[in-house]
């Protein structure tokens, strides 16, 4: 079982969904992002996603676009992303890199998998890679014990859900609504339906992302999903802070709030 | 993916449907002005070593460029799929204007994303789109040009796909777009092939077109691909010169990778980040290229050369003064290619140049450019 799988087991044993937290590497600087992620883990994040900042982030909304853009302008390189993986993996939680495909392809799929594994990374989340195009990556992932996480959406047909989930390792990332990343006031009601449809095809844990920003949403999503994935809300902590210290503190507080949310037994996780 | 599957299914069904094809052909004829002229330009050709040069006059199509061929097809398809809204990206604005035009014609809502930088340098087209009833949204992220408009159009479409069709303007993006846009544009080459044979008594020695995303070029080239003796020459945006890094010459200066849902060539840095590009022409200012061009390049069937801003503007001026035709600056890259190729191939050569658009939108830029030189 991978480290990701083990994290899901631990959360499940506690009768709750896992909390997955995201920051892009290098925003506002490499050290501050590392400090924020470390604080998030200390406050209750079970699994970490580290974003690889990319010039053309098609599925990202304005907050993550802005963070990625600033990280790139500050000179963030792929090597910085791997350094961030290494630093955060030292906390003991599983760390996955969330990345668009071209940077991985350009680095060389085998080289990237090797470097990710050497840095202590647990897998990749690849929003713009379809399983049909993932042959070389799936081979490397299997060889190195890395988890390949693909996305499903409310529009995914049963056939595609079957294809996608059979390629996944670690967990399945279910996008809660048709749209880009970003915090919303109401988590889409398509989310619960999608999770049900995914579970018809796989026994892998299912994480729901896109839109969660507070503990009551986390509690609600935790009631039907195996993980609550929070990205934009955490990035906003750093984006809107007057200084890095305040940003890290805000991220820590949000993590604690969300961790309480997934432990809130008012919405018990589905068996 | 399901949006792409839905589109692919609808497209193949429309392709086989005689009623759809008849309606498309009728609109291209009675509304867009097809077939477009083939014009021999002997005074321009005298500057190209004295060979024969024929221009395929996509500049005379309704809206002023070849973009209309694709948007009428896609708008009919959108209506067939029951979509009520269309989004589009645009660089120079010609595709945006054409999309707004087709949406006005068919009663569809239209939203066009345009890089903020481009809204400034092609302001005439922004005004036209709004007059035609479209909403124009300037995109201020990234490099604020075409690739960022594409990103924003995709982001919109991902959210609104239930009601909305994304009318991509070139032979790029995920399947089925490169195939579908090529199919709608190949009427250019089909017509031109017959027209050149009638006018010159034979096939041309070369077909020359500018290449940004690649739609006018693939439209001109496709009918000639089986004609082994016909060279296919793509002219990319060489900007300030390849060595400066300030260009958009993807095949000349790029490498293989993945962008905008396609595997093709792109201009990228060591980390696989997309490079910023530069061209005097907004419509060629794109760091990727259609995958079919990547294939034609790799198999050697077509060759691609970089034409600098200065070479393009010189050709622009030559056509204006020798033939009384103001070309789009994009198309001037192809004209520059003809001025280079004519002397290479000799006075007996027959060159077919795709004049992909007219230059009304470029009068300000040209005036500034020639003012600097004068």
């Amino acid at each position: 079982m991978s480290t990701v799988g083990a994290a899901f087991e631990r959360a499940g044993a506690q009768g709750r969904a896992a909390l997955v937290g995201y920051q892009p590497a290098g925003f506002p600087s490499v050290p501050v992002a590392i400090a924020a992620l470390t604080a998030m883990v200390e406050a209750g994040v079970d699994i970490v996603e580290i974003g690889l900042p990319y010039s053309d982030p098609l599925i990202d909304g304005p907050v993550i676009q802005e963070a990625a853009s600033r990280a790139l302008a500050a000179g963030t390189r792929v090597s910085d992303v791997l350094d961030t993986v290494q630093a955060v993996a030292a906390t003991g939680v599983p760390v996955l890199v969330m990345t668009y495909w071209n940077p991985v392809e350009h680095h060389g799929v085998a080289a990237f998998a090797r470097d990710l594994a050497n840095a202590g990374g647990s897998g990749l989340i690849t929003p713009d890679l379809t399983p049909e195009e993932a042959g070389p990556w799936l081979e490397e992932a299997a060889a190195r014990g890395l988890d390949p996480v693909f996305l499903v959406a409310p529009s995914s047909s049963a056939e595609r859900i079957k294809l996608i989930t059979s390629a996944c390792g670690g967990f399945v990332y279910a996008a809660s609504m048709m749209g880009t990343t970003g915090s919303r006031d109401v988590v889409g009601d398509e989310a619960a339906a999608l999770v049900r449809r995914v579970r018809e095809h796989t026994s892998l844990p299912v994480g729901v992302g896109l839109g969660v920003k507070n503990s009551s949403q986390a509690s609600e999503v935790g009631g039907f999903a195996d993980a609550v994935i929070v990205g934009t809300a955490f990035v906003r902590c750093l984006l809107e802070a007057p200084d890095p210290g305040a940003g890290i503190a805000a991220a820590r507080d949000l993590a604690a709030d969300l961790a309480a949310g997934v432990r809130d037994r008012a919405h018990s996780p589905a068996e | 993916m399901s949006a792409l599957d839905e589109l692919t299914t609808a497209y193949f069904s429309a392709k086989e449907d005689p009623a759809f094809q008849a309606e498309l052909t009728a609109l291209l004829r009675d509304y867009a002005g097809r077939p477009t002229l083939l014009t021999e330009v002997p005074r321009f050709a005298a500057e190209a070593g004295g060979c024969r040069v024929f221009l395929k006059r996509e500049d005379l199509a309704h809206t002023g460029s070849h973009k209309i061929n694709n948007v009428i097809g896609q708008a009919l398809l959108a209506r067939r799929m029951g979509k009520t809204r269309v989004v589009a990206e645009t660089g120079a604005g010609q595709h945006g204007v054409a999309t707004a035009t087709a949406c006005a014609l068919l009663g569809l809502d239209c939203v066009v994303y345009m890089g903020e930088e481009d809204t400034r340098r092609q302001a005439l087209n922004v005004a036209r789109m709004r007059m035609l009833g479209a909403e124009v949204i300037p995109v201020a992220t990234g490099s604020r040009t075409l690739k960022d408009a594409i990103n924003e159009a995709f982001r919109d479409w991902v959210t609104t796909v239930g009601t909305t069709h994304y009318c991509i303007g070139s032979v790029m993006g995920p399947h089925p777009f490169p195939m579908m846009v090529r199919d709608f544009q190949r009427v250019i080459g089909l017509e031109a092939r017959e027209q050149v044979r009638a006018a010159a008594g034979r096939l041309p020695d070369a077909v020359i077109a500018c290449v940004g995303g690649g739609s006018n070029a693939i439209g001109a080239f496709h009918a000639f691909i089986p004609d082994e003796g016909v060279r296919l020459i793509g002219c990319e945006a060489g900007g300030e010169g390849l060595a400066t890094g300030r260009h958009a010459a993807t095949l000349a200066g790029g490498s293989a990778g993945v962008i905008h849902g396609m595997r093709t060539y792109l201009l990228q840095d060591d980390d696989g980040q997309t490079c910023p590009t530069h061209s005097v022409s907004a419509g060629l200012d794109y760091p990727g290229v259609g995958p079919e061009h990547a294939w034609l390049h790799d198999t050697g069937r077509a060759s691609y050369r970089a034409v600098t801003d200065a070479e393009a503007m010189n050709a622009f001026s030559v056509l204006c003064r020798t033939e009384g035709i103001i070309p789009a600056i994009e198309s001037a890259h192809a004209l520059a290619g003809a001025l280079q190729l004519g002397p290479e191939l000799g006075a007996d050569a027959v060159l077919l140049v795709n004049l992909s658009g007219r230059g009304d939108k470029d009068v300000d830029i040209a005036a500034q450019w020639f003012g600097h030189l004068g």
Side-chain angles (χ1 to χ4, degrees), chain A residues 52-58 60 65 72 76-78 101-103 105-106 130 132-133 155 160 178-180, chain B residues 1-2 5 141 147-148 151-152 154-155 158-159 161 255 257-258 260 263 266 268-274:
Chain A
L52 190 154
Y54 178 57
S55 53
D56 296 276
L58 280 191
D60 285 307
Q65 283 178 50
L72 288 172
T76 306
R77 306 294 308 270
V78 170
W101 190 245
N102 195 56
E105 175 125 339
H106 198 64
T130 55
E132 294 96 323
E133 300 294 336
S155 62
R160 283 216 69 78
M178 300 306 293
T180 54
Chain B
M1 277 300 286
S2 69
D5 289 340
T141 48
K147 78 165 178 78
D148 311 289
N151 292 341
E152 207 55 26
F154 268 122
R155 292 186 189 108
V158 156
T159 311
V161 64
S255 55
V258 177
H260 294 143
R263 172 167 281 116
L266 69 140
Q268 57 187 323
D269 70 11
D270 290 341
D271 268 2
Q273 305 288 352
T274 312

Side-chain angles (χ1 to χ4, degrees), chain A:
Chain A
M1 174 178 298
S2 68
T3 56
V4 171
F8 275 102
E9 290 252 303
R10 266 196 305 278
Q14 293 171 19
R16 63 171 180 85
L19 176 60
V20 181
Y22 166 98
Q23 291 287 0
F27 172 71
S29 69
V30 175
V32 172
I34 290 171
L37 284 161
T38 305
M40 285 157 60
V41 169
E42 288 166 358
V45 164
D46 300 300
I47 296 170
V48 163
E49 292 179 6
I50 294 173
L52 190 154
Y54 178 57
S55 53
D56 296 276
L58 280 191
I59 69 141
D60 285 307
V63 171
I64 293 181
Q65 283 178 50
E66 179 64 20
S69 174
R70 292 195 199 181
L72 288 172
T76 306
R77 306 294 308 270
V78 170
S79 55
D80 296 310
V81 178
L82 294 166
D83 290 345
T84 305
V85 170
Q86 185 152 34
V88 180
T91 64
V93 301
V95 174
L96 299 105
V97 169
M98 185 165 189
T99 182
Y100 292 87
W101 190 245
N102 195 56
V104 176
E105 175 125 339
H106 198 64
H107 194 88
V109 178
F112 198 97
R114 173 202 67 210
D115 293 344
L116 179 65
N118 286 347
S122 298
L124 282 188
I125 302 165
T126 51
D128 69 341
L129 182 68
T130 55
E132 294 96 323
E133 300 294 336
W137 159 232
L138 291 174
E139 276 182 39
E140 288 297 326
R144 297 199 175 267
L146 295 169
D147 282 323
V149 178
F150 297 90
L151 272 62
V152 294
S155 62
S156 300
S157 65
E159 206 184 301
R160 283 216 69 78
I161 290 177
K162 187 170 168 189
L163 177 72
I164 294 167
T165 56
S166 65
C168 279
F171 70 99
V172 178
Y173 191 130
S176 68
M177 61 203 330
M178 300 306 293
T180 54
T181 58
S183 306
R184 283 146 177 122
D185 292 323
V186 177
V187 177
D189 40 40
E190 299 173 289
L194 176 57
V195 172
R196 264 195 306 277
R197 291 174 58 222
V198 171
R199 288 196 175 127
E200 287 169 26
H201 299 278
T202 184
S203 56
L204 280 175
V206 184
V208 170
L210 268 64
V212 174
K213 66 178 185 186
N214 61 42
S215 73
S216 83
Q217 287 172 342
S219 171
E220 183 195 335
V221 173
F224 59 78
D226 300 299
V228 179
I229 304 172
V230 183
T232 294
F234 277 123
V235 178
R236 218 187 258 282
C237 292
L238 295 179
L239 190 62
E240 294 173 355
D243 58 73
I248 293 165
R252 183 193 300 274
D253 288 347
L254 178 60
D257 187 41
L258 293 166
V262 296
R263 287 163 175 76
D264 177 356
R265 299 303 185 93
H267 300 96
S268 300
E271 288 301 279

